[in-house]
Amino acid sequence: MKLVVNGEAFIINGMNWDYFPIGTNFAYSLWEQPEAFIKTALDSEMTLLKDMGVNTIRVYTGIQPEWITYIYENYGIYTMLNHSFGRYGVAINGNWESETDYRNADAQQSLLKEVGEMAATYKNTPGLLLFLLGNENNFGLFWAGSETEDFPEGETEKKEIGELRGRAMYRLMNEAAIQMKKIAINHPVAICNGDDLYIDIIAEECKDVDIYGTNMYRGKSFGDAFDNVKNTLNMPILFTEFGADAFNSITQKEDQKMQAYYMVENWKEIYENVAGLGKAENAIGGFTFQFSDGWWKDGQTTGLNIHDNHASWSNAGYAIDYEKGANNMNEEWFGICAKGLTDKNGFYTLSPRAAYFALQKAHELNPYAKGMTTDLISEHFKEIKF
């Protein structure tokens, strides 16, 4: 229930990181820019990340191995390499299918080929920490695309979709993990599930996966997540996404204190549940969502130069700005840094919010340190002001 790096217990103080200048969207790739541009962008961003105590970033495929090593050698920051595993579609025989049917033999073959090639390409890359498969792909069984929506409410419908489409997906994820670990023997393989939906199927189908990764947005507390994963899966839990937006849907204003409050509470629970402290003892860290605002998130392809304050889904766990019957989750405001306009050279600057400095203080603590207790963790977090 620990991640061990170079012989020592390693807590993942992670960050969901990307680089999208205002006016761009998912079609933009930093890794396709000139080498000098990439270095300048990385030097700016990684300096901020290192200074706040981040030791791992979550990055999707597309990054070249040399940049994983550059980030590690210059800033001491590891990379979790994320293959979306059909979340947004799959290439089959040269044709792009926008929705992945994991029961399709050609789709299966295509995805296994992709992750096998990824493992072979990156296996000896200095700075690579682990592989991640998917991005809440179970939620993708309900809607296409990456824009967050609300779920169907019927439990019967959820279960039917899980059996009809989900079981084949998890079985394939397990097959992928087996294949990848034969190729890249020193790197764990995690999956990324949406909350704990279908955890019972995962228990049956994903016995060779090393780590249960979850995108989980429950407000100030993860609730029963640690114990549920321990009792159902007997796996370590890694929070691949969690956090809060910095826009208050009630006041219709930026609310940095609200954002920092939720993130500090979440990290406190993660640290309290690491191995050796007497609680669930299966937490290995997390990846805060996210480093900078995504101005493209609402609408995806429209209004790319507008910082939209439209809330696209509701979550009662974030009680500070929740009102029954109204949406309160603002996709374009999840950054712990606000994003500035792009200059003539294509770069932007970031302005850290209160959450940045709060997490900087949080990450000063090593939950695996000798003599650590949950009381000491509690005392440390009480000292964080925002």
Side-chain angles (χ1 to χ4, degrees), residues 170 198-207 232-235:
Y170 291 121
Y198 303 139
I199 194 171
D200 52 337
I201 299 178
I202 293 171
E204 296 170 356
E205 301 293 348
C206 293
K207 297 183 184 298
T232 308
L233 301 178
N234 193 32
M235 282 185 191

Side-chain angles (χ1 to χ4, degrees), residues 9 16 18 28 30 106 108 112 153 163 185 250 285 379:
N16 280 268
D18 55 37
Y28 176 90
L30 173 64
D106 289 333
Q108 293 173 3
L112 290 175
E153 295 184 0
E163 286 298 332
I185 61 174
I250 294 176
E379 290 175 15

Side-chain angles (χ1 to χ4, degrees), residues 223-355:
D224 65 352
F226 302 95
D227 288 327
N228 190 24
V229 171
K230 180 179 181 179
N231 296 332
T232 308
L233 301 178
N234 193 32
M235 282 185 191
I237 183 170
L238 174 63
F239 293 91
T240 44
E241 270 189 33
F242 66 98
D245 64 87
F247 191 86
N248 190 310
S249 292
I250 294 176
T251 65
Q252 286 294 296
K253 294 180 180 178
E254 183 176 5
D255 192 340
Q256 296 188 27
K257 185 175 181 180
M258 175 183 71
Q259 181 190 40
Y261 166 74
Y262 287 117
M263 291 187 174
V264 167
E265 291 296 311
N266 287 165
W267 273 106
K268 178 174 178 286
E269 281 196 344
I270 291 171
Y271 285 171
E272 288 174 337
N273 282 278
V274 302
L277 297 184
K279 287 197 170 184
E281 303 199 57
N282 63 342
I284 61 171
F287 291 83
T288 301
F289 188 84
Q290 62 181 348
F291 193 46
S292 61
D293 290 332
W295 283 44
W296 60 276
K297 290 293 184 72
D298 188 76
Q300 308 281 312
T301 58
T302 60
L304 303 183
N305 291 295
I306 300 171
H307 201 188
D308 203 304
N309 57 20
H310 169 249
S312 59
W313 55 295
S314 64
N315 191 326
Y318 297 83
I320 293 173
D321 72 341
Y322 174 76
E323 291 182 312
K324 189 174 182 180
N327 291 338
N328 64 322
M329 306 302 285
N330 297 83
E331 287 290 321
E332 294 196 2
W333 289 80
F334 270 85
I336 65 165
C337 293
K339 184 172 292 179
L341 296 175
T342 307
D343 66 20
K344 63 180 181 180
N345 297 314
F347 299 108
Y348 57 82
T349 56
L350 298 178
S351 300
R353 292 189 168 112

